[in-house]
Each structure stands twice: as C-alpha cells, then as structure tokens.
Amino acid sequence: NPATLTYTATAAARTYGASDPVFSGTVTGFVNSETQGTATTGTLAFTTTAVATTGVGSAALNGSGLTAANYTFTQAAGNASALTINPATLTYTANAASRTYGATEPAFSCTVTGFVNSETQGSATTGTLAFTTAAVATTGVGTAAIDGSGLSAANYTFTQAAGNAMALTVNPATLT
C-alpha cells in the first residue's frame, strides 16, 4: 500500500477585499529517507477558493501540484481554516463645523470611507449614521471632537478620522 503524504499549509492572513498573499506550506510523511525532491514530481502549490468578497472569518488553504508513485496525498486538518480574513476598516470623517460660544450645535455632516468590493454605505452597513459632539453650549472657545457612530458591518471595523478630534470650532461670542 502507498504511504501517505500530508500537505500542511502555513497559516496566512489578509484583509477583507484585499488580494491574497503568497501561500506556502510543507509536505510531510516521506519514508525510506526520501524527500519531496526525490519522491515527487510537479510543483507544490497552496491555494484557496476564497475570493475578495469572501467574508471575515477563516477559509481553507489546500496543497496540490505533486504526484508520487509510492504515496497518496491528504490535507492536514488545520488547512481547513489556515487563511484568516480580517475586517477592512471604515473611517468616519466629520466635515469641519463651527459655532459661537453659547450657541447650539449646528447640523453635522460627514462621510464614511474605506469600502471595498464596490460596496457602499447602503449595501455594506446597517444602522443610522450619526455624528455627535460632547461639546455643550458652555464649552469654551477652541476646538472639540465630532465623532461618528451608529453603523455596523459584518466585514468592517470602524475608526474615527484623526481630524475629527478638532472638527468643531467654538468661536468667541460678541459682547456689545
């Protein structure tokens, strides 16, 4: 009976929507002091059926490409989840706004960027986009943050744009 060789993928990761990295792995189980070079023909390859739109989670990396007269091939159990697909990042970006000290907050506007795979806010997220500030009428002259929130998405994480920390300008009130 033929001996068994096992394709074992090296764990790999990529971001949702990104291209696959170069995959690698090993073949083990050779007997009689044989090696991949002496006992097999072909080119070792590790591939996945995951595509750019495959959701966050894990996917299989399977070995192939080799033949051997005295061996059969199998996949290592860990190959079934050797590729990790991490979430892409969406960024809440507040448009600059201003108000006078003591006044109520203006309406805030914003954008959400970072979508991949031709997705949009409407197709990839749920919830209601909101931009708010912790500033109140008595917040002193200077700048304050405007932060985005309210959305969720299976294949994305959210972050605030750096400029959000100073997106609201509170101007001095005029005394007469």
Side-chain angles (χ1 to χ4, degrees):
N1 289 334
T4 301
L5 295 177
T6 303
Y7 288 112
T8 304
T10 302
R14 70 164 169 84
T15 301
Y16 173 71
S19 299
D20 287 327
V22 175
F23 300 128
S24 63
T26 58
V27 178
T28 57
F30 294 100
V31 296
N32 299 326
S33 299
E34 292 179 320
T35 65
Q36 181 181 327
T38 61
T40 67
T41 58
T43 302
L44 177 61
F46 284 86
T47 59
T48 184
T49 58
V51 294
T53 57
T54 300
V56 169
S58 61
L61 285 180
N62 289 315
S64 64
L66 299 178
T67 58
N70 296 315
Y71 296 92
T72 59
F73 292 88
T74 188
Q75 303 294 325
N79 289 7
S81 59
L83 175 61
T84 300
I85 301 170
N86 295 310
T89 301
L90 293 177
T91 303
Y92 289 113
T93 304
N95 294 322
S98 64
R99 68 160 170 86
T100 303
Y101 173 76
T104 59
E105 302 304 338
F108 299 130
S109 62
C110 62
T111 57
V112 179
T113 59
F115 293 100
V116 297
N117 298 324
S118 300
E119 293 174 334
T120 64
Q121 182 180 326
S123 67
T125 67
T126 58
T128 301
L129 178 60
F131 272 75
T132 58
T133 184
V136 294
T138 58
T139 298
V141 170
T143 59
I146 299 173
D147 291 321
S149 64
L151 299 179
S152 60
N155 295 309
Y156 296 92
T157 58
F158 292 85
T159 188
Q160 303 293 326
N164 289 7
M166 299 183 309
L168 176 63
T169 300
V170 179
N171 297 309
T174 303
L175 296 176
T176 53

